[in-house]
Amino acid sequence: MPIEQHAEEIKAELRKQNSIKVKVALFGQPGAGKSSLINAILGKDLAKVGVETDITTSAEEYQHNGLVFVDLPGYGTEKFPKDTYFDKFDILGYDLLLCVTSGKLHQSDTEFFKRITSDKKICIFVVNKCESIKQKGVEQNVLFLEKEKDIKNNIQKNDIDVVFTDCYENIGIDELNTLIFKNLEPVKKERWARGAKAYSEEFLLKKRNACEKYVTTAALLAAANGINPIPGADVAVDVGIIVKLFSEIRQSYGLSDEELSTLKHSAIPIVGRLANNIVQYAAQEGVFLLLKSMVGRVAVKSFAKYIPFIGQAVAATVGYKITSSVGNSYLSDCHDLAMKILERKLKS
């Protein structure tokens, strides 16, 4: 097969991966902290916190890194009656729904839940602001169990997931992220792992595995679409694709330019070195340096771990082995730095 045809097939596969979105809808009473929950999952202040939603005239949508969150307006109100609500907001088009509460469930929440489960949609109950659940002389875990029992009694269903979260203390967010990951189809698991903020080493590993597969596809395309000669090698690759890949890896790990600039001067040597590497190799000039450093090393290792059904011929080339090696090297630096940042936060 001509290399040009391989390039078009791989380009289509990359577009397909980038077009995948995970759509999550949140419903519940005003003041439950839905905006804070969205921001905590993303690790980014995207949704406006403190805005009451009882006067919302439409669904509030927030998108970041392939994840789409929609804060739904009140169900069964005069403005949004029950008989047209599901069609108006395309409720069955979401991958799953979160019922967010910080107090007692309202009748409208219970009715909404029963209707979505009758249509086989997944719903997770999130008890937010859980640190405020306190009673003198009673252990908090006992109060949590009572709250979970109360929710299950209200909706008359025992086999549902209930997660207790507090967005300001980052309590329960990792459990919620992992539970959402578990309930998604495989291709959407990868998108969720790349897009959601990691609060544990386990979720960081999920993120790395998802990024590795993305590196493979991007490396295949960079090799097949070779237009930039690599210094010191009789091969060309598409450096622009690699630059974009590096940017998406940084975004997946939540490594902003501002944070990296600060971490470069860290008193911890390994943190400073990793941050410096990530910044140094981010632009086109740095990519050329990294590519050049890999020349001569690719013959002794195999980088074809996640070769998809397309691009086998490209994967056999030196260009692919170099770009794959470069991509995974950059990914390792981002992952290791994110791990160091997480370790410090868990200790604090």
Side-chain angles (χ1 to χ4, degrees), residues 79-89 115:
K79 190 178 291 292
F80 304 111
K82 299 174 184 178
D83 57 345
T84 59
Y85 194 96
F86 267 47
D87 289 334
K88 181 177 180 62
F89 297 110
R115 182 166 175 186

Side-chain angles (χ1 to χ4, degrees), residues 107-297:
Q107 181 64 29
S108 59
D109 297 331
T110 302
E111 290 179 11
F112 188 83
F113 169 78
K114 288 180 177 179
R115 182 166 175 186
I116 59 177
T117 51
S118 70
D119 286 307
K120 309 301 182 185
K121 298 302 294 183
I122 298 167
C123 180
I124 299 171
F125 281 80
V126 182
V127 181
N128 201 18
K129 305 180 181 179
C130 68
E131 280 297 273
S132 65
I133 302 177
K134 290 183 170 72
Q135 184 178 325
K136 189 174 182 179
V138 184
E139 292 185 5
Q140 195 175 51
N141 65 318
V142 174
L143 295 174
F144 285 0
L145 288 172
E146 290 178 356
K147 181 68 175 177
E148 182 174 344
K149 183 179 178 181
D150 180 61
I151 289 173
K152 291 179 177 180
N153 285 340
N154 267 285
I155 61 174
Q156 299 177 329
K157 194 172 179 65
N158 286 319
D159 58 339
I160 53 120
D161 292 303
V162 180
V163 181
F164 291 81
T165 62
D166 191 283
C167 300
Y168 298 101
E169 300 294 334
N170 290 334
I171 295 171
I173 308 300
D174 180 64
E175 181 184 352
L176 178 59
N177 282 350
T178 302
L179 193 55
I180 293 173
F181 176 90
K182 178 183 174 182
N183 282 287
L184 295 172
E185 57 183 287
V187 293
K188 297 205 172 186
K189 286 181 192 290
E190 292 176 19
R191 173 53 83 178
W192 183 261
R194 284 171 53 197
K197 180 178 173 62
Y199 289 89
S200 68
E201 293 184 10
E202 290 77 12
F203 199 85
L204 267 182
L205 183 58
K206 288 182 174 66
K207 188 178 290 292
R208 178 167 190 156
N209 290 338
C211 285
E212 281 180 344
K213 295 183 180 182
Y214 190 73
V215 166
T216 294
T217 308
L220 285 166
L221 182 57
N225 199 41
I227 55 176
N228 307 114
I230 300 177
D234 187 22
V235 65
V237 299
D238 191 330
V239 172
I241 292 172
I242 302 174
V243 170
K244 187 173 186 298
L245 168 66
F246 286 5
S247 174
E248 294 190 7
I249 292 173
R250 291 194 304 278
Q251 186 179 61
S252 180
Y253 279 95
L255 298 171
S256 66
D257 292 342
E258 182 180 2
E259 184 174 24
L260 287 168
S261 180
T262 301
L263 292 173
K264 281 171 61 178
H265 306 289
S266 172
I268 304 172
I270 188 171
V271 170
R273 177 180 62 80
L274 289 168
N276 188 67
N277 285 349
I278 293 167
V279 172
Q280 179 185 7
Y281 299 129
Q284 183 169 304
E285 297 78 8
V287 171
F288 273 117
L289 286 174
L290 200 51
L291 287 166
K292 188 176 180 180
S293 72
M294 292 295 173
V295 174
R297 287 197 260 164

